[in-house]
């Protein structure tokens, strides 16, 4: 979509006690940089002219739709940014969107240092190729001291491809980082962007479709980015690069954020070239607090053979108070949903008070050997307990051979007052385990009120594999027990439709109706009241928008009337 703003030399605003004109400037490859730029007939010609221009707050620069401009759009303080209520705008005019084409490998599409009150919209940014480019499609950097938060930045409806590092990146700058200044962005909005075929020449710590990262270590510092939103974006084919010391090829990655929201996004086929032992994930966050991922689809994401991760969604090291809800994960190499604490007790918080609820996992953990599970939980922190986490009312389906429903590794005994509850674990493949705990340590997680269905019962818990729920519960009497009574179901959940569903091209609960339960299902009214039992915040609606509860609680992502 393009915009066409009228010439506005006659429009003035009160500014600094006087009047300052607000202009719309036009840029056309057939124009001239000696023109005034104030009409399509007198348009500027090049990105260099725009980079050198000084704009008054509220002004606009529009590039001719369907045309290509070679180089990099470089935006800086004192020239290109607006003020509160008077954002400057960069976009397209006429038919179609304009393209900014990198001229050399080092070109970013757009590079903005300390941006604020600016809208960048309806542009196509193209690098020199993901395996040779050393640029980022849209690079936002806050290098100010004093933990400054810059406001008013919006990226709307951009199409970004063929950059070697990141597609869209908001970072704390090197000067601020070195000074321990948690500077970043407040209320940054990334909406309607398509980010694809990037990150093939990433460097250490980069290689993401969309990323917000700042001053590392929320145990010691405040969050760099606050209340930022990533919405309605499609992120795909961001492959990452082999041979790096850190993972690359993530779809969406949040770090050092507070109050962030990712919603209505689709991430797929990312991470194929990662070879680091730690792998990428479709949509995830780490070292982040009070943030939410919801109404997203993440599928067919990858990682190198034998490496970790490669999953759909992840709440990772140091996260507290974060939520993944109302999402659909399927056909990922790694787990559909992950809750994992890596080892860095000096810098990150414990992994605590996080929720994964009302989601669907379908045929996740596809990379052979299949060991990663629909849900994966673990910690490499040997000293600290991770408390208050809850994974509940999810529907986990897999027809993959040797699949795991709940997969526990890396010191699962360090998860205390953590719950796996009211979930459907529905496995139809051969040699599956409804629960698989790979280490010998007894997991600390409590399983309550779940419905398990598999060709044959197999529960690996600690050092022993149990082939009946009775034997497992005898060995661990608190599991699937409330007030001395068994609360699990060992039965087919009798779903409404045929599964698997497959791709739905972005979250749409109406296309996931197959995962509702039939009227006679044991899951209907078969769940536990997790709030009254354990103080878990269950939320106000299920994956389909139905109010919770409606009578007794259900098992799975669907709450029946």
């Amino acid at each position: 979509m393009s915009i066409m703003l009228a010439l506005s030399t006659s429009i003035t605003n009160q500014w600094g006690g006087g009047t300052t004109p607000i202009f719309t400037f036009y840029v056309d490859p057939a124009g001239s940089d000696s023109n005034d730029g104030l009409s399509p007939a007198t348009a500027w010609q090049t990105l260099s002219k725009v980079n050198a221009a000084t704009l008054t707050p509220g002004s606009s620069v529009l590039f001719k739709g369907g045309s290509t401009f070679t180089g990099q759009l470089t935006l800086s303080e004192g020239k290109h940014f607006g003020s509160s209520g008077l954002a400057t705008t960069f976009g397209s005019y006429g038919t179609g969107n304009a393209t900014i084409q990198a001229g050399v490998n080092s070109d970013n599409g757009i590079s903005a240092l300390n941006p604020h009150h600016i809208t960048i919209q309806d542009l196509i940014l193209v690098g020199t190729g993901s395996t040779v480019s050393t640029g980022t499609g849209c690079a936002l950097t806050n290098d100010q001291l004093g933990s400054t938060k810059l406001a008013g930045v919006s990226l709307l409806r951009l199409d970004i491809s063929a950059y070697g590092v990141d597609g869209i990146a908001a970072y704390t700058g090197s000067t601020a980082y070195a000074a321990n200044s948690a500077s970043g962005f407040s209320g940054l909005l990334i909406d309607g962007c398509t980010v694809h075929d990037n990150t093939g020449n990433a460097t250490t710590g980069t290689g993401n479709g969309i990323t917000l990262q700042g001053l590392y270590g929320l145990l010691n510092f405040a969050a760099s980015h606050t209340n930022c939103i990533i919405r309605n974006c499609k992120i795909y084919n961001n492959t990452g690069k082999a041979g790096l010391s850190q993972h690359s090829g993530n779809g969406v990655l949040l770090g050092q954020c507070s109050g962030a929201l990712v919603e209505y996004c689709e991430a797929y086929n990312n991470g194929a070239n990662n070879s680091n032992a730690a792998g990428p994930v479709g949509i995830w966050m780490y070292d982040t607090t009070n943030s939410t991922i919801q109404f997203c689809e993440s599928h067919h994401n990858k990682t190198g053979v034998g490496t970790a991760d490669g999953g759909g969604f992840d709440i990772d090291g140091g996260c507290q108070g974060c939520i993944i809800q109302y999402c659909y994960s399927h056909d990922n190499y790694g787990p559909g949903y992950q809750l994992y604490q890596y080892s860095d007790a000096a810098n990150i918080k414990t992994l605590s008070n996080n929720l994964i609820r009302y989601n669907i996992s379908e045929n996740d953990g596809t990379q052979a050997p299949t060991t990663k599970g629909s849900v994966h939980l673990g910690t490499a922190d040997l000293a600290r307990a991770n408390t208050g986490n809850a994974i509940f009312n999810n529907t986990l389906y897999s027809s993959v051979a040797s699949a795991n429903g709940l997969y526990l590794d890396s010191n699962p005994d360090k998860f205390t007052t953590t719950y796996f509850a009211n979930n459907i674990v529905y496995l139809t493949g051969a040699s599956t385990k409804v629960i698989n705990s790979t280490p010998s340590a007894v997991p600390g997680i409590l399983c309550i009120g779940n419905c398990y269905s598999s060709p044959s019962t197999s529960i690996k818990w600690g050092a022993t594999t149990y082939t009946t729920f009775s034997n497992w519960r005898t060995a661990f009497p608190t599991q699937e027990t409330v007030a001395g009574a068994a609360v699990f179901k060992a039965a087919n959940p009798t779903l409404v439709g045929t599964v698997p569903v497959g791709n739905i091209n972005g979250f749409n609960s109406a296309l996931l109706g197959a995962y509702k339960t039939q009227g006679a299902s044991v899951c209907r009214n078969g769940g536990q009241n997790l709030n009254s039992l354990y103080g878990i915040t269950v939320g106000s609606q299920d994956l389909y928008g139905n109010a919770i509860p409606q009578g007794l609680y259900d098992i799975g992502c669907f709450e029946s009337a």
Side-chain angles (χ1 to χ4, degrees):
M1 178 170 53
S2 298
I3 60 172
M4 178 70 178
L5 299 182
L7 178 64
S8 51
T9 55
S10 62
I11 300 175
T12 60
N13 64 285
Q14 296 298 317
W15 182 254
T19 59
T20 301
I22 296 175
F23 296 105
T24 296
F25 296 97
Y26 298 87
V27 192
D28 183 338
S32 171
D33 286 346
S34 62
N35 289 339
D36 61 16
L38 293 175
S39 72
T42 60
W44 293 336
Q45 183 182 35
T46 67
L47 290 169
S48 296
K49 180 67 175 181
V50 178
N51 293 341
T54 298
L55 309 176
T56 55
S59 293
S60 299
V61 176
L62 304 179
F63 298 87
K64 186 176 182 180
S67 298
T68 297
F69 301 83
T70 301
Q72 171 179 288
L73 182 60
T74 304
L75 308 178
S76 58
E77 183 64 84
K79 291 183 177 181
H80 300 111
F81 307 141
S83 60
S84 181
L86 289 169
T88 55
T89 299
F90 294 83
S92 298
Y93 76 94
T95 302
N97 292 340
T99 297
I100 296 177
Q101 170 69 61
V104 296
N105 290 338
S106 60
D107 278 346
N108 295 330
I110 298 171
S111 182
L113 178 62
N114 299 325
H116 58 88
H117 303 103
I118 183 173
T119 298
I120 303 170
Q121 61 188 25
D122 303 313
L123 292 170
I124 301 168
L125 311 179
V126 182
T128 54
S130 66
T131 61
V132 294
S133 167
T134 57
T136 287
C138 186
L140 310 176
T141 305
N142 184 344
D143 210 23
Q144 297 185 355
L145 302 182
S147 298
T148 304
K149 303 295 188 285
L150 297 173
V153 179
S154 297
L155 307 178
L156 310 178
R157 302 177 299 278
L158 303 177
D159 188 300
I160 299 174
S161 64
Y163 289 93
V165 184
D166 295 313
I168 296 174
Y171 285 119
T172 296
S174 58
T175 299
Y177 199 100
N180 290 337
S181 174
S183 292
F185 297 91
S186 176
L188 169 66
L189 174 63
I190 302 172
D191 194 345
C193 295
T194 301
V195 182
H196 59 103
D197 299 283
N198 300 290
T199 79
N201 196 31
T203 57
T204 298
T206 60
N208 310 295
I210 300 176
T211 189
L212 279 60
Q213 295 187 73
L215 181 62
Y216 175 69
L218 296 196
L219 186 64
N220 305 311
F221 304 109
S224 296
H225 308 297
T226 58
N227 303 316
C228 298
I229 298 173
I230 302 173
R231 175 183 288 150
N232 299 318
C233 293
K234 190 180 291 287
I235 311 99
Y236 62 95
N237 294 351
N238 300 291
T239 61
K241 181 183 178 181
L244 300 182
S245 61
Q246 293 181 348
H247 51 78
S248 67
N250 300 286
V252 176
L253 173 57
L254 303 181
Q256 298 76 55
C257 294
S258 177
L261 175 64
V262 180
E263 63 179 2
Y264 297 105
C265 292
E266 182 184 9
Y268 61 95
N269 200 34
N270 300 294
N273 289 342
N274 175 79
S275 64
N276 187 269
V281 174
I283 304 176
W284 67 294
M285 47 193 165
Y286 77 105
D287 196 28
T288 283
T289 61
N290 303 319
S291 297
T292 299
I293 299 169
Q294 62 182 10
F295 304 115
C296 293
E297 180 184 8
S298 185
H299 60 98
H300 294 93
N301 295 293
K302 299 174 172 61
T303 188
V305 176
T307 63
D309 303 308
F313 300 91
D314 180 18
I315 298 176
D316 215 89
C319 284
Q320 291 191 350
C322 294
I323 301 174
I324 299 175
Q325 60 185 4
Y326 318 127
C327 289
Y328 177 40
S329 174
H330 62 97
D331 299 290
N332 295 289
Y333 274 15
Y337 302 88
Q338 180 166 269
L339 190 66
Y340 195 88
Q341 175 81 341
Y342 58 85
S343 179
D344 191 1
N347 292 296
I348 62 172
K349 298 173 181 283
T350 58
L351 187 66
S352 301
N353 302 316
N354 302 294
L355 305 177
I356 299 176
R357 63 188 187 187
Y358 307 108
N359 304 290
I360 293 170
S361 169
E362 177 182 280
N363 285 341
D364 286 312
T366 60
Q367 187 186 66
T370 302
T371 58
K372 298 177 182 178
S374 300
V375 171
H376 174 211
L377 181 148
T379 174
D381 186 337
L382 301 178
R384 300 182 296 175
N386 302 287
T387 62
N389 301 291
I391 302 163
F392 63 94
N393 282 103
N394 303 285
T395 298
L396 314 175
Y397 166 78
S398 183
S399 60
V400 178
S402 302
N404 300 298
L406 173 61
Y407 178 64
L408 307 170
D409 73 347
S410 303
N411 311 295
D413 55 314
K414 296 300 181 183
F415 283 87
T416 60
T417 58
T418 291
Y419 306 92
F420 183 76
N422 286 357
N423 300 289
I424 291 174
V425 181
Y426 182 24
L427 309 178
T428 62
S431 303
T432 57
K433 286 182 169 62
V434 291
I435 302 173
N436 187 359
S437 176
T438 58
S440 59
V442 174
I445 190 169
L446 185 64
C447 299
I448 294 291
N450 300 291
C451 176
Y452 306 95
S453 178
S454 62
S456 60
T457 301
S458 182
I459 303 167
K460 172 77 163 47
W461 194 263
T464 304
T465 297
Y466 300 89
T467 57
T468 69
F469 287 97
S470 176
N471 289 343
W472 174 49
R473 292 181 58 245
T474 296
F476 300 97
T478 60
Q479 295 298 330
E480 292 294 359
T481 301
V482 171
V487 291
F488 73 97
K489 312 292 183 184
N492 189 306
T494 55
L495 303 178
V496 164
T498 301
V499 293
V501 172
N503 297 353
I504 59 172
N505 300 312
F507 182 86
N508 182 347
S509 63
L511 300 179
L512 295 170
Y515 283 99
K516 296 179 180 179
T517 53
Q518 296 182 30
S521 171
V522 296
C523 298
R524 290 204 174 191
N525 299 316
Q528 300 299 303
N529 187 332
L530 304 180
N531 182 263
S532 64
L533 288 171
Y534 309 111
I536 296 172
T537 302
V538 298
S540 61
Q541 68 174 59
D542 70 358
L543 181 139
Y544 302 95
N546 300 313
I548 295 173
Q550 299 189 51
L552 299 177
Y553 289 88
D554 282 18
I555 302 173
C557 65
F558 172 61
E559 178 73 13
S560 61

